[in-house]
Amino acid sequence: MKDKEMKLMIRIPLILGLMGMVLISACKKTDDFKTKLDALPQINNENKYAYLPAYGVGDTMTIVGRLQPKNNLKIQIGKAEASIVSVDSIPYLAGTYPSTSQQMMDRVKIIITQAMGLGRDIPVKITSGGYSINGAGIEIYALGGKGSFSGGLGITDHVQLSDPNNVFLQCINGKGDLYFFDVPSKSLKHISKDGNFETLMTQRQLTGNQFSLQTFVAGGLNPQSTKAWYSVKTATGDAFVEADLQSKTIKVLNQSNGLKAPFEGLIGQVNLAVTAVYPDSKGNVFLGIAGEVPVQHTPVEIGAVAKYSSSDGSLAYLFKTFAALPGMNGVYIEGPNRFASGLRVLPDESTLYVLSTESVRVLGNITSVPSFLVFDLESRLMIKKFNLLPEGPSILPKRYTGPFSNLRINLDVGSTDGGFGYLPLPGQRLQFLLYQFLDGALATGQGGVDISALVGGPKWMVLDFQAERTYQYAPGPADITGYRFEPYYQYGKPASAFKDQLLNYDEQGQVYMTANAKRRIVKTVLK
């Protein structure tokens, strides 16, 4: 045998041995890598299992995945380590049909605390077996906000009304004052914060012997409570009047017989049919102007919004809907139901709130949802738009506090059963009562059953458009025992023709409103 062949025969076993050692080493490294990979915690981010992007303090956060709960699991949210309150396993179908295999995933629940920090992009870190991964950051928000109470609120009688036909004048001055036109005596009255009645102007003073007052339509006072403006039906048409509450004198600004052109110009030279009056602190008076639905010619309470300036006596149109009459100027208010009778506008100093409905696609279906639009009155530009999405079928709507993008509320802005009030507060905020009656058909299929208590309702809430979130005006359910705010639409119950309304708030933050179809005036109190 030649030397070269002998050396080759000797080398082959060595090479095979070395290759075997390399393969063994590679397999070991693969096994080690797999062992390490198996030990790494993993979060399931599929839509069905992913945790929410935002939570309020006290909420429960549920994390699903391969979390190794028996391997010294720790969850760090922001500045604090979370307390794990629940651990279990749920089945998970991995792969795609037909090659599917059922596996098990860990499900861990923790409580969100204020110690973790407030704000957006709060980091989420999960550690188990000495390995750590970072999940998607979350937003943490306080349940309360500006002006919130630390304790729950109930309701108590403030004063009783003599007639549900009485008309309340707009005056949100934050002092608890209430003003209304008393139908039996045809006089303007004031109710102070302590519940005392005062007649401000008699029927004779309200007319100044210049017209015959048939129906008081609407009115409002400036925040200083020195002047009032009101719209009335007279024997010959409509009158728009300014009253000086100190001298008890009036000035008839406009008398019209029918809404027709001209619409703009000096207040005494136009035709008006005023249905809502909102004075501000600068001498401007924002007016809701009647309209009608095109084609059907059905009357609509508000077809346009105009501004009367007391400094120069001019009237100009700011906004209009499709119910505005031809020739009326103004920026169109967005939304497919612009001319609907359920449209509500709430001017407040420099801001106009529009509450309507809009058709959007939800879970593949076209449905009508509440639409909140916020306009700047001076520029007439829309500065915020928010469509409030409902919760899905057979799901209890519990996500009613937090960022607008994360809310799921079953609400109808045209009724009071889901949301009552919408009282403007400083800083682009609207206060309302959520779920005085929540129809059980939404989640249980049992119509006419009030399930508000199942979702912690009813609750006093605030829509904060600057912060783009809702918050609780008071914690816990609101105690409204013995009171209802009409009209609310429970099955088998006829809706009242008398609409209740939030009227004002005082220095302590207590809220004043009518109740039981305008037969009482009530206010909130600490429980």
Side-chain angles (χ1 to χ4, degrees):
M1 183 178 295
K2 296 181 181 180
D3 292 341
K4 288 185 179 180
E5 293 178 348
M6 180 66 71
K7 290 179 180 179
L8 182 60
M9 291 181 65
I10 295 172
R11 288 175 180 173
I12 289 175
L14 290 173
I15 293 171
L16 291 174
L18 289 172
M19 289 179 63
M21 292 174 65
V22 170
L23 289 172
I24 291 171
S25 176
C27 290
K28 185 176 186 304
K29 287 182 179 180
T30 302
D31 290 341
D32 290 344
F33 178 74
K34 185 177 184 304
T35 301
K36 181 178 179 180
L37 190 63
D38 289 341
L40 282 174
Q42 296 178 24
I43 300 172
N44 192 319
N45 290 315
E46 297 175 54
N47 289 337
K48 183 178 179 181
Y49 302 104
Y51 54 79
L52 298 176
Y55 295 89
V57 173
D59 282 353
T60 300
M61 178 179 182
T62 302
I63 304 174
V64 174
R66 195 164 59 185
L67 305 175
Q68 319 287 353
K70 296 180 181 180
N71 204 5
N72 195 25
L73 174 64
K74 293 181 180 180
I75 299 176
Q76 181 85 14
I77 308 291
K79 302 175 183 178
E81 183 177 330
S83 296
I84 298 174
V85 296
S86 173
V87 177
D88 62 1
S89 297
I90 58 174
Y92 171 65
L93 206 60
T96 57
Y97 183 83
S99 59
T100 58
S101 62
Q102 182 169 294
Q103 302 175 3
M104 299 300 291
M105 288 190 302
D106 304 309
R107 181 171 60 184
V108 176
K109 296 183 179 182
I110 62 172
I111 301 298
I112 299 298
T113 65
Q114 190 158 332
M116 296 170 177
L118 299 176
R120 299 178 180 177
D121 297 321
I122 303 294
V124 175
K125 181 179 180 181
I126 296 178
T127 302
S128 63
Y131 298 105
S132 297
I133 60 168
N134 294 318
I138 62 173
E139 179 177 352
I140 299 179
Y141 50 86
L143 297 183
K146 184 177 180 180
S148 290
F149 286 90
S150 58
L153 291 177
I155 289 181
T156 188
D157 279 341
H158 185 46
V159 297
Q160 277 201 288
L161 292 177
S162 58
D163 193 318
N165 291 286
N166 293 335
V167 180
F168 284 88
L169 281 74
Q170 177 82 4
C171 184
I172 305 173
N173 61 10
K175 299 178 181 178
D177 293 303
L178 306 177
Y179 300 88
F180 70 99
F181 176 77
D182 182 63
V183 170
S185 65
K186 292 190 175 181
S187 62
L188 179 61
K189 294 191 175 184
H190 167 235
I191 304 173
S192 63
K193 176 182 171 180
D194 57 12
N196 291 326
F197 283 80
E198 172 191 9
T199 298
L200 295 179
M201 297 185 73
T202 64
Q203 177 182 0
R204 184 179 222 177
Q205 292 170 327
L206 288 172
T207 62
N209 291 325
Q210 299 182 53
F211 56 85
S212 173
L213 196 163
Q214 304 294 313
T215 304
F216 192 96
V217 178
L221 283 79
N222 59 4
Q224 300 90 337
S225 301
T226 58
K227 287 189 176 182
W229 291 263
Y230 49 93
S231 170
V232 298
K233 294 288 185 183
T234 70
T236 58
D238 296 273
F240 182 58
V241 184
E242 176 182 303
D244 188 311
L245 300 181
Q246 296 172 323
S247 65
K248 314 294 184 184
T249 58
I250 69 163
K251 183 191 300 182
V252 179
L253 300 175
N254 180 275
Q255 292 195 75
S256 300
N257 183 12
L259 188 56
K260 54 192 175 184
F263 299 115
E264 290 188 314
L266 294 177
I267 189 72
Q269 300 174 6
V270 300
N271 290 297
L272 280 178
V274 176
T275 57
V277 181
Y278 303 92
D280 69 8
S281 61
K282 306 168 188 173
N284 300 312
V285 185
F286 300 101
L287 306 174
I289 307 296
E292 63 181 26
V293 176
V295 183
Q296 297 98 326
H297 301 294
T298 305
V300 170
E301 185 176 357
I302 294 180
V305 177
K307 180 179 80 170
Y308 163 63
S309 176
S310 60
S311 60
D312 60 11
S314 65
L315 183 82
Y317 277 68
L318 304 180
F319 301 92
K320 62 182 178 180
T321 73
F322 282 168
L325 299 185
M328 287 182 176
N329 292 322
V331 173
Y332 270 115
I333 293 172
E334 287 195 1
N337 293 338
R338 285 178 275 243
F339 53 82
S341 59
L343 177 77
R344 298 181 62 186
V345 295
L346 298 166
D348 179 51
E349 291 291 328
S350 62
T351 306
L352 172 72
Y353 303 99
V354 178
L355 284 62
S356 187
T357 56
E358 185 163 339
S359 296
V360 300
R361 186 175 294 276
V362 179
L363 299 176
N365 299 314
I366 299 296
T367 186
S368 294
V369 300
S371 179
F372 295 87
L373 311 178
V374 185
F375 291 86
D376 177 77
L377 281 171
E378 186 173 344
S379 66
R380 296 185 293 172
L381 295 175
M382 185 171 66
I383 53 181
K384 303 281 182 181
K385 180 179 179 180
F386 168 48
N387 288 335
L388 187 57
L389 298 180
E391 194 55 275
S394 302
I395 299 176
L396 292 178
K398 292 186 178 181
R399 283 188 281 161
Y400 46 73
T401 305
F404 286 166
S405 59
N406 193 47
L407 300 182
R408 292 293 184 272
I409 302 177
N410 296 82
L411 185 62
D412 178 1
V413 296
S415 68
T416 66
D417 44 356
F420 161 68
Y422 307 105
L423 180 75
L425 300 175
Q428 290 185 12
R429 296 176 297 149
L430 289 179
Q431 185 182 69
F432 70 109
L433 180 69
L434 178 66
Y435 296 152
Q436 75 161 326
F437 180 88
L438 183 59
D439 184 6
L442 295 169
T444 67
Q446 300 175 357
V449 178
D450 188 357
I451 61 170
S452 296
L454 297 181
V455 295
K459 278 186 178 293
W460 287 109
M461 302 290 296
V462 173
L463 288 159
D464 188 332
F465 292 98
Q466 282 188 347
E468 296 187 356
R469 76 180 187 100
T470 64
Y471 64 82
Q472 297 180 15
Y473 192 66
D479 186 356
I480 61 172
T481 305
Y483 303 100
R484 284 291 185 185
F485 306 105
E486 293 284 354
Y488 75 98
Y489 303 110
Q490 179 181 357
Y491 284 107
K493 180 195 77 69
S496 172
F498 300 106
K499 298 179 180 180
D500 287 306
Q501 60 192 112
L502 284 183
L503 300 170
N504 204 355
Y505 63 97
D506 62 22
E507 298 87 344
Q508 289 72 44
Q510 302 295 353
V511 186
Y512 299 73
M513 68 213 84
T514 68
N516 296 358
K518 292 181 67 175
R519 285 171 172 79
R520 295 182 181 179
I521 297 179
V522 299
K523 67 176 183 178
T524 58
V525 291
L526 286 171
K527 293 171 62 177

